[in-house]
Amino acid sequence: ARAERDGGLRRDGLTGIELRGPARETSVIAPKLVRFEPPTTVIGAKLNWAFMVALYLVRGEAGPDSVSADALRDPAILRLATATRFVADESLPRTAIVLRYADGSERIVRNDGFDPRQPPPFEADLRRQKFDTLTSDLPKERRAALRAHVEALPNAR
């Protein structure tokens, strides 16, 4: 969302995605990128990082209702998801997503705004503040809808 807002995200000409960062932060996802298998079910797609990022980059959204049978067969999504790579780079403090384009350019999208490894605070007011920080890139209406959804969950803490 930040890359789109600042005008740095182009969808045309995308040829690949690279997840680059410290191996300790990507130990779960890296093997799945190395041995990418296209998802065959909606739930499989929702749990597939490469597919969901490609879905967002191709179609402009990747919410819970964005994955459909049509999306599972979309050649543009599958081509981009298949072209997703992992590169270990211990010099980076955090993981970055690198978008590669046909003209040879790259767009690096860094996650510098928060530390997702920190647990949510126990106090409700502090949890709300953390939620606001983590969702600051979302439009006001989408943030409110997401907050309502999260707070409706049985273990919202």
Side-chain angles (χ1 to χ4, degrees):
R2 188 178 306 130
E4 274 190 296
R5 196 177 58 241
D6 70 16
L9 179 64
R10 294 186 345 251
R11 286 189 164 81
D12 61 309
L14 269 169
T15 59
I17 306 165
E18 185 177 286
L19 182 65
R20 187 186 300 169
R24 69 186 177 280
E25 288 191 9
T26 55
S27 61
V28 172
I29 198 167
K32 293 178 182 186
L33 295 179
V34 171
R35 293 182 304 277
F36 174 77
E37 294 180 26
T40 57
T41 65
V42 169
I43 193 69
K46 290 178 181 181
L47 297 172
N48 188 312
W49 188 88
F51 183 86
M52 292 303 292
V53 171
L55 173 69
Y56 178 78
L57 291 169
V58 170
R59 296 199 174 176
E61 70 174 314
D65 296 330
S66 301
V67 182
S68 63
D70 177 56
L72 290 173
R73 295 184 304 272
D74 187 320
I77 295 170
L78 293 173
R79 189 172 29 258
L80 193 55
T82 302
T84 301
R85 302 286 178 259
F86 168 72
V87 175
D89 186 342
E90 300 303 324
S91 69
L92 293 175
R94 289 205 172 123
T95 304
I97 297 173
V98 180
L99 305 177
R100 298 192 174 279
Y101 292 91
D103 65 5
S105 65
E106 293 182 344
R107 168 65 162 117
I108 299 174
V109 182
R110 295 188 190 278
N111 181 8
D112 295 327
F114 61 90
D115 186 353
R117 294 170 294 191
Q118 295 300 314
F122 180 75
E123 300 82 0
D125 287 339
L126 293 177
R127 283 197 312 275
R128 279 193 273 287
Q129 287 175 9
K130 182 170 184 179
F131 180 90
D132 289 343
T133 300
L134 295 175
T135 60
S136 63
D137 290 331
L138 293 176
K140 188 176 181 179
E141 300 79 20
R142 288 190 73 185
R143 181 190 296 177
L146 180 60
R147 180 188 302 272
H149 172 73
V150 169
E151 289 180 348
L153 294 172
N155 297 316
R157 288 187 303 147

